[in-house]
Amino acid sequence: MIRPRSSHGLLDPLLRLLFPALMLLLLNGCASVGYYSQLASGQWQLLRARTPVAEVVADPARDPQLRAHLEQSQQARAFASEHLHLPDNQSYRLYADIGRPYVVWNVFATPEFSLQAQTHCFPIAGCVAYRGYYNQGAARGAAALLQQQGMDVAVSGVEAYSTLGWFNDPIISSMMHWGDERLATLIFHELAHQRFYVQDDTEFNESFATFVEQQGTRQWRAYRGLPPASEAQVQQRDQFTQLLLDTRQRLEHLYAQALPAEQMRERKAAQFEQLRQDYRQLRDSQWHGDKRYDAWINAPINNARLLPFGLYDQWVPAFAALFKQVGGDWPAFYDAVQTLGKRPPAERKAELRRLAQL
């Protein structure tokens, strides 16, 4: 049987993706048609925009800075498969110019007095704590509707995402403003999603990929004979993240109380103000006035803005402990992660808590 193929041999996976999505359209009614249609259209446009990195690098008509940046990225891409044992496929060996700063905009939402994300379920990725839009206006429109319902909402631009191995994901032009090392860390992170993924557990998946990104970057620097990343920068990142996680914990305790709505709002606002005060004290006393996080902390804060930090960082210490247990052996680590990921959700979370305390 002859099957149609795209220029990169990826049309069959596309059909496998769109078929269950089409079934969802038929089952879920007209309200879902527009959303799933923009998902299919956006992904198809991204696929059509791909060009092999090797062709871009070899083309003298292309911007020299772009060519040099992409050439450096391919060294990190090779390292990812050869040394981190991440998938060896065409992902991140292709390039796509999309002509906009973000590839998608994610909309996060929580109830006013809860840190429980509004989840959305998809045929491939399972249930996740956000909804993605290829158009910024559509994302803002969806956010406005949720705000009218009394939800806490945040819209976040995303430079890249993983299709979990269903497609050969490209390096996207939205990633090109990063330095060579940041681009490498993104490649490690997204390939980790292809390596292993648990449906319906965003915290597990993102923490796992974040650990692979961080540990992979340490090894990538050592491989190139570079010293470890500045301890000050790493410490600042970790301290800032901890401030946000501590705030989440205090808010969870607050929301568990039976308080009148107005009193709850006042105490919620007080928690966000305490976060700002704690940040400024940390910045001025330990960071020598470094203002790298000022823009984030001075913008309006709500439950939804705190969500990505818990999702991406919550279990990183647990995966670090697991990596140490297997002696830093990547294949053994992935086997252990896969075993852990197959356990029932409650058992999986209990084991992650245990590992995080080691």
Side-chain angles (χ1 to χ4, degrees), residues 14-185:
L14 177 63
L15 295 175
R16 287 186 297 175
L17 178 67
L18 295 186
F19 179 75
L22 176 61
M23 294 304 296
L24 279 182
L25 295 182
L26 297 175
L27 293 172
N28 289 353
C30 294
S32 296
V33 171
Y35 179 72
Y36 281 100
S37 176
Q38 66 93 25
L39 281 185
S41 175
Q43 179 62 49
W44 175 244
Q45 290 174 12
L46 184 61
L47 292 178
R48 292 186 63 187
R50 295 172 307 171
T51 303
V53 167
E55 291 185 11
V56 178
V57 171
D59 185 355
R62 293 277 195 164
D63 177 68
Q65 186 175 359
L66 170 66
R67 294 166 62 197
H69 200 13
L70 287 174
E71 189 170 19
Q72 287 293 318
S73 76
Q74 296 311 281
Q75 297 179 29
R77 179 62 185 86
F79 179 86
S81 294
E82 294 170 8
H83 297 270
L84 306 182
H85 297 268
L86 291 167
D88 189 5
N89 52 33
Q90 286 301 304
S91 288
Y92 309 109
R93 292 182 169 115
L94 305 168
Y95 173 70
D97 190 338
I98 59 173
R100 57 182 188 269
Y102 299 106
V103 60
V104 295
W105 286 262
N106 283 344
V107 177
F108 296 87
T110 74
E112 183 181 8
F113 304 129
S114 172
L115 287 164
Q116 187 65 43
Q118 183 183 69
T119 58
H120 306 275
C121 299
F122 301 93
I124 306 303
C127 298
V128 296
Y130 49 82
R131 212 174 192 193
Y133 294 83
Y134 284 89
N135 179 276
Q136 186 178 22
R140 289 177 173 174
L145 291 175
L146 290 167
Q147 287 175 325
Q148 290 177 5
Q149 299 170 23
M151 305 286 281
D152 274 17
V153 182
V155 178
S156 177
V158 177
E159 292 95 341
Y161 64 86
S162 172
T163 58
L164 309 179
W166 279 76
F167 306 108
N168 287 326
D169 297 315
I171 295 172
I172 308 173
S173 55
S174 53
M175 301 154 63
M176 285 294 100
H177 65 279
W178 297 336
D180 290 333
E181 184 165 299
R182 181 67 187 98
L183 180 55
T185 66

Side-chain angles (χ1 to χ4, degrees), residues 183-241:
L183 180 55
T185 66
L186 186 281
I187 291 173
F188 301 158
H189 184 104
E190 299 302 341
L191 285 174
H193 285 312
Q194 292 190 20
R195 189 66 171 77
F196 187 69
Y197 186 89
V198 178
Q199 280 201 347
D200 307 336
D201 197 336
T202 303
E203 293 92 341
F204 182 97
N205 295 322
E206 294 300 347
S207 295
F208 162 66
T210 297
F211 169 75
V212 173
E213 167 193 328
Q214 293 177 0
Q215 182 61 30
T217 301
R218 294 186 192 100
Q219 295 185 10
W220 173 231
R221 290 184 67 88
Y223 177 79
R224 292 179 295 157
L226 298 177
S230 167
E231 286 297 322
Q233 292 184 10
V234 173
Q235 184 180 42
Q236 286 181 19
R237 179 200 65 202
D238 292 345
Q239 287 178 328
F240 182 69
T241 298

